Amino acid sequence: MSLDRTTSQVLFDNGTHKCISFTSLVKGEGVQANQFLIIDHERAAVLDPGGDLTYIPLTMELNRYTRLANLDYVMASHQDPDIITSMPRWLVYTDAKVVASKLWARFLPHLNSAFMSDRMKGNWLDRLVELPDQGQSIALGHAAILAIPAHFLHSVGNFQFYDPVSKILFSGDMGASMVENASQPLEDFEAHIPKMKAFHQRYMCANKVIRLWVNMVRKMDIEMIVPQHGSAFIGKEKVKQFLDWIETLQCGVDLMDERIFHCPV
Ligand code: FE
């Protein structure tokens, strides 16, 4: 398989700590999705690696930056197919632990429990870091990644991953957009709104929980918000523009009414 050398972007690199984004590994019918690698002092974590569609191209890309033997974690913001359906492969072919909400711990083995139990190293509970609702700090190399709560944005047990070294918030589906080229920097925020509005109106649960999230995030020192689909918000001005916009958005149950809830026949 030949690899497009533009598939990865180095978001941050200070010599011992790196954050890398992969924006164009999904081919075919699957929705565009970004995958991420964080490395600190040679220890590595993969964030939202996706499913079978991305497992092989992603592992080939990872080998350009680290060895699979250095992979300590596969972190999942939530349970969706484009997030973590490759989980059995990571459990069989690496020693990485899966980091996910405690709400999904009993559901994830359904992805392929026979394959896992036959061939995975260790048992499922030893390979799982179950996140409590309030989140937690996860040691990586000489640093730590913070799992921060983003429940109902959009999944019932939903986390984002904040890297205090790079000051990047890996935001899962918050801030997601459908764009031609996810590796291109976002220039015009107003022109970007139509590329994310309908998605957030349907996939995010309610404005109440968006405001809780925005209030928390405004207190954090964030240089980039990097979603799992589409363009990143790079720089404090773009981060502020996104927070100001999403804070007032009505979405999810705010928009449900009798026009949807009536019997179609
Ligand atoms: Fe999702």
Side-chain angles (χ1 to χ4, degrees):
M1 180 185 293
S2 70
L3 282 175
D4 171 6
R5 287 287 158 181
T6 62
T7 6
S8 64
Q9 286 87 47
V10 178
L11 302 173
F12 181 88
D13 185 355
N14 69 3
T16 57
H17 188 94
K18 289 187 181 67
C19 299
I20 296 125
S21 152
F22 307 97
T23 56
S24 56
L25 298 182
V26 178
K27 307 295 182 201
E29 300 301 315
V31 66
Q32 186 277 333
N34 305 320
Q35 302 80 33
F36 308 104
L37 169 66
I38 304 176
I39 302 173
D40 189 276
H41 290 87
E42 307 296 324
R43 304 312 304 175
V46 173
L47 277 54
D48 290 347
D52 281 353
L53 264 179
T54 47
Y55 178 79
I56 289 173
L58 180 57
T59 50
M60 291 171 77
E61 282 287 326
L62 296 183
N63 279 320
R64 294 170 58 197
Y65 296 95
T66 187
R67 297 186 309 129
L68 286 188
N70 293 351
L71 190 64
D72 287 341
Y73 303 106
V74 173
M75 299 186 180
S77 58
H78 61 292
Q79 81 292 356
D80 273 351
D82 56 328
I83 299 287
I84 193 62
T85 39
S86 57
M87 185 187 76
R89 294 178 189 275
W90 299 102
L91 289 173
V92 168
Y93 299 121
T94 77
D95 293 318
K97 293 191 173 196
V98 172
V99 178
S101 164
K102 66 175 185 179
L103 272 66
W104 297 116
R106 299 293 300 281
F107 293 84
L108 289 174
H110 281 265
L111 289 172
N112 197 335
S113 58
F115 176 64
M116 280 160 47
S117 59
D118 280 359
R119 296 175 57 190
M120 71 183 269
K121 300 172 206 166
N123 65 57
W124 166 240
L125 289 178
D126 292 338
R127 300 289 304 273
L128 176 69
V129 178
E130 276 187 71
L131 297 172
D133 271 352
Q134 67 270 27
Q136 71 178 59
S137 173
I138 301 149
L140 178 71
H142 299 182
I145 305 300
L146 304 183
I148 70 160
H151 308 307
F152 297 100
L153 300 171
H154 64 97
S155 168
V156 293
N158 203 117
F159 285 94
Q160 299 172 347
F161 297 102
Y162 177 64
D163 172 13
V165 178
S166 63
K167 301 180 179 176
I168 297 174
L169 177 63
F170 296 93
S171 61
D173 280 324
M174 270 301 258
S177 56
M178 296 302 131
V179 297
E180 291 276 311
N181 183 352
S183 67
Q184 272 189 346
L186 166 56
E187 303 285 352
D188 181 345
F189 185 83
E190 288 301 316
H192 190 64
I193 289 174
K195 297 169 187 164
M196 54 181 178
K197 185 174 180 181
F199 174 81
H200 289 78
Q201 283 177 317
R202 183 56 193 258
Y203 283 77
M204 298 303 157
C205 179
N207 181 259
K208 175 187 173 179
V209 76
I210 284 182
R211 284 174 184 272
L212 288 167
W213 178 80
V214 169
N215 289 342
M216 173 185 67
V217 168
R218 280 198 203 283
K219 294 178 190 131
M220 297 165 62
D221 186 6
I222 293 175
E223 287 294 336
M224 289 186 212
I225 291 181
V226 185
Q228 190 239 341
H229 305 282
S231 310
F233 303 90
I234 299 176
K236 288 199 186 294
E237 179 57 29
K238 289 284 187 301
V239 168
K240 181 179 183 311
Q241 284 178 308
F242 176 67
L243 295 178
D244 289 348
W245 172 74
I246 195 78
E247 186 172 32
T248 60
L249 189 75
Q250 298 291 298
C251 61
V253 295
D254 304 328
L255 302 176
M256 287 290 136
D257 60 24
E258 294 78 7
R259 285 171 296 180
I260 303 288
F261 280 86
H262 73 95
C263 181
V265 288

